[in-house]
């Protein structure tokens, strides 16, 4: 068997764009023959997958799974919304959502997990890229768990069971009746999907975000021309309002538009005869935070025709 050197692995990787371990395996399978290794990677779909990896994947699906007192959410991205309707892609999201329950929010652990019937999750994702023909990525995952109570899942506008563009988990810790908790959890999850809180409570709001909001508030207040002590009060009022509107527990419940979520939970606990604690939540919205590439379709057509954008295509 030919010796597989670091230089040959590097060359193969540069020529195909495939992963280092895939290149090493290809050379081993082909006795170090570079061209045969390239063909081997192409046949496996690995070279093609690597070429697609540079394309922006901001569509796809958010999946959720609940088992007992534990719930998981994942986001799997694709380039186009069309892939979200693909049965193979949906099967992958469903399987990975279930596997995420044991990954405890660790994306690398989830990628390394054994996929049902075929290698690891990451290897199956690579195979999906090759067969479906679009770049895809396993972007993020989170897990919620309670010692006693429920974790409730909700998907807004689901395209398939437990899959859609907005996925929510709600963790309620309580000794109250499970059905009661599930009903409350479903309403809270719907509120979270609609209201998009930024943190559970005011203390959980991001410090950098608050600093930016305060700077904006100071600039606006200064424009009023009022004395410094009044400006300070105006800024404090603006920041208090921002925290109230963006922290889940202080948001007004969307079901009635007037009761803070914290009061809704407290009242539900009284009625159930056992305190209820809204321990945590997860809200994944598909593609949030991903900068999408803006494509100029006219320019693409012109380029394909070999002319400038504003020239007629004869």
């Amino acid at each position: 068997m030919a010796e597989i050197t670091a230089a040959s692995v590097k060359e193969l990787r540069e020529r195909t764009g495939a992963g280092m371990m895939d290149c090493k395996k290809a050379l081993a399978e082909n006795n170090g023959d570079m061209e045969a290794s390239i063909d081997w990677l192409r046949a496996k779909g690995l070279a093609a997958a690597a070429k697609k990896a540079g394309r922006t994947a901001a569509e796809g699906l958010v999946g959720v799974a609940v088992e007992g007192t534990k719930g998981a959410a994942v986001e799997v991205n694709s380039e186009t919304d069309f892939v979200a309707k693909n049965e193979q892609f949906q099967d992958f999201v469903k399987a990975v959502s279930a596997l995420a329950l044991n990954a405890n929010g660790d994306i690398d652990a989830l990628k390394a997990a054994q996929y049902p019937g075929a290698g690891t999750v990451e290897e199956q994702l690579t195979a999906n890229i090759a067969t479906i023909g679009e770049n895809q990525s396993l972007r993020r995952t989170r897990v919620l768990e309670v010692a006693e109570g429920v974790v409730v899942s909700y998907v807004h506008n689901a395209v398939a069971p437990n899959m859609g563009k907005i996925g929510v988990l709600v963790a309620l810790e309580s000794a109250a009746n499970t059905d009661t908790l599930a009903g409350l959890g479903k309403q809270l999850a719907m509120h979270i999907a609609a209201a998009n809180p930024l943190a559970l409570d005011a203390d959980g709001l991001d410090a950098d975000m608050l600093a930016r909001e305060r700077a904006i508030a100071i600039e606006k207040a200064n424009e009023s021309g009022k004395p410094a002590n009044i400006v300070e009060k105006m800024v404090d009022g603006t920041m208090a309002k921002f925290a109230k509107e963006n922290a889940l527990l202080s948001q007004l419940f969307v079901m009635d538009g007037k009761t803070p979520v914290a009061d809704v939970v407290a009242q539900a606990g009284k009625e159930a005869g056992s305190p209820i604690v809204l321990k945590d939540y997860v809200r994944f919205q598909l593609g949030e935070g991903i900068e999408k590439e803006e494509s100029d379709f006219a320019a693409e057509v012109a380029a394909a025709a070999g002319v400038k954008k504003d020239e007629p295509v004869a």
Side-chain angles (χ1 to χ4, degrees):
M1 180 177 178
E3 181 185 1
I4 308 303
T5 65
S8 61
V9 172
K10 181 176 181 289
E11 180 185 349
L12 183 58
R13 187 178 185 184
E14 289 174 349
R15 291 182 63 179
T16 64
M20 183 177 67
M21 295 308 295
D22 291 325
C23 290
K24 186 176 180 180
K25 185 176 181 181
L27 289 163
E29 291 285 336
N30 294 280
N31 203 30
D33 187 303
M34 186 62 63
E35 299 304 321
S37 296
I38 292 172
D39 292 343
W40 187 90
L41 286 168
R42 291 181 62 193
K44 296 290 185 182
L46 298 174
K51 290 178 182 178
K52 296 180 178 72
R55 307 204 298 241
T56 302
E59 298 294 338
L61 289 170
V62 172
V64 294
V66 173
E67 186 176 288
T69 56
K70 195 173 189 179
V74 300
E75 180 180 353
V76 186
N77 297 122
S78 61
E79 291 180 57
T80 66
D81 184 55
F82 180 75
V83 169
K85 303 177 181 68
N86 180 290
E87 185 176 350
Q88 179 182 345
F89 185 78
Q90 290 183 1
D91 287 345
F92 178 77
V93 175
K94 179 181 179 181
V96 170
S97 299
L99 290 171
L101 288 164
N102 294 318
N104 295 319
D106 186 329
I107 193 69
D108 291 328
L110 181 54
K111 289 178 180 179
Q114 189 69 28
Y115 191 83
T120 66
V121 166
E122 189 162 29
E123 288 169 345
Q124 182 60 41
L125 181 63
T126 299
N128 287 351
I129 295 171
T131 56
I132 294 175
E134 277 194 15
N135 185 30
Q136 296 157 52
S137 66
L138 179 53
R139 184 186 180 202
R140 55 180 172 165
T141 180
R142 271 196 68 193
V143 169
L144 296 184
E145 186 172 14
V146 293
E148 183 180 30
V150 299
V151 173
V152 179
S153 66
Y154 169 72
V155 174
H156 185 65
N157 289 340
V159 300
N162 298 316
M163 289 178 243
K165 294 196 173 184
I166 299 177
V168 178
L169 297 174
V170 175
L172 296 175
E173 200 149 56
S174 176
N177 177 272
T178 300
D179 290 340
T180 299
L181 294 175
L184 173 63
K186 177 70 175 297
Q187 288 192 326
L188 291 171
M190 293 172 71
H191 167 95
I192 291 165
N196 191 17
L198 301 178
L200 180 65
D201 54 30
D203 290 340
L205 291 168
D206 181 73
D208 291 338
M209 175 185 64
L210 290 175
R212 291 194 299 271
E213 291 296 325
R214 177 170 285 276
I216 293 169
I218 290 172
E219 186 174 343
K220 287 183 177 179
N222 283 332
E223 291 175 357
S224 69
K226 297 184 183 297
N229 63 321
I230 302 298
V231 166
E232 186 176 350
K233 289 180 180 179
M234 290 171 65
V235 171
D236 288 343
T238 298
M239 293 307 297
K241 182 173 184 288
F242 178 85
K244 180 180 178 180
E245 292 178 348
N246 289 284
L248 173 57
L249 290 173
S250 57
Q251 286 182 326
L252 298 182
F253 195 39
V254 294
M255 300 298 176
D256 66 12
K258 61 182 181 181
T259 310
V261 168
D263 292 349
V264 171
V265 175
Q267 182 59 35
K270 288 179 182 178
E271 294 174 1
S274 180
I276 299 172
V277 177
L278 175 48
K279 185 179 179 182
D280 206 351
Y281 76 95
V282 172
R283 182 187 187 275
F284 280 180
Q285 181 165 342
L286 183 67
E288 60 188 346
I290 298 177
E291 187 174 344
K292 298 183 182 181
E293 296 175 353
E294 297 295 331
S295 62
D296 187 334
F297 184 67
E300 290 178 11
V301 172
V307 298
K308 294 180 179 179
K309 177 179 174 180
D310 297 325
E311 290 180 352
V313 180

